[in-house]
Amino acid sequence: MRVYVPLTLSGLAAAHRAGELGPGPLTAYAVTPALREWYVSDDIEELEYAALSRAASASLRMIAGDPGATRRRVVVAVDVPDGDAVADPDHILDASSLGEVAIASAVALAKAAAVHVDSDEADKDVTAAAAALGAADLGDGDAQFTVDGAEDHELLWFGIQEIPNLIG
C-alpha cells in the first residue's frame, strides 16, 4: 500500500540522518475506503492524488505549529505492507481524518518511492496559509481562501537520492 507521510523539511532532515521515518506510530494518508467514498472515484491515480493532498494539508499544520520550520510542505511517499497501515475506526466518518492511517513502527527511508516538496515560489503562500490556518478552522472565509492559496501550488516530485540537496 502506498502511504503519504507528512513532514517538514527539518523532519525530512532528521529522517535522512536516522535512515527511517519514525519512530512509530506514524500518521500517514492513503487510499482508504472512507477516502474512496468521499472522493467518489474509481481512478486510483486521482485517489492517490487526494491522499497526497491530505498529507500536504497535514504538513501545512505541522509548519503552522512550528514557527521555525521552513515554509515548504513535505510529503514522503512510501510503500508498506497492507496490514501495516491501519485506519482508526473511531475517526472513519470524521471529514478531517479522511484517508488518515497509522503505521505502528518506523519505516526505512530506503523504502520511500518519492519525496514531494513545495517549490521556492510557494514560500509566500505557504507562510500566509500557515498563519491563517487557525482562523480558517474557525470558519473565516477569507482565511480559508488564504489556506487554499497554498493548496494551489503543486508539490514537486524528487527521488530519495535527492534528499541531501533538499535539506542542504
Side-chain angles (χ1 to χ4, degrees), residues 20-113:
E20 65 183 17
L21 298 164
L26 295 171
T27 299
Y29 294 81
V31 178
T32 62
L35 185 72
R36 282 181 189 273
E37 186 176 322
W38 171 74
Y39 199 75
V40 192
S41 175
D42 290 328
D43 184 327
I44 191 65
E45 287 184 16
E46 287 181 17
L47 290 165
E48 286 184 349
Y49 183 77
L52 171 66
S53 296
R54 304 292 291 182
S57 293
S59 176
L60 179 64
R61 289 192 175 282
M62 291 173 169
I63 291 167
D66 181 359
T70 302
R71 295 339 211 189
R72 292 171 68 191
R73 298 167 299 163
V74 177
V75 176
V76 179
V78 183
D79 294 318
V80 299
D82 287 347
D84 286 4
V86 180
D88 183 347
D90 294 335
H91 290 103
I92 285 180
L93 298 177
D94 180 0
S96 68
S97 64
L98 284 170
E100 186 176 298
V101 295
I103 302 168
S105 58
V107 177
L109 192 57
K111 291 186 178 186

Side-chain angles (χ1 to χ4, degrees), residues 113-141:
V115 179
H116 303 271
V117 181
D118 273 314
S119 69
D120 292 337
E121 290 79 31
D123 183 80
K124 180 180 173 186
D125 289 333
V126 171
T127 299
L133 199 53
D137 286 346
L138 295 174
D140 183 318

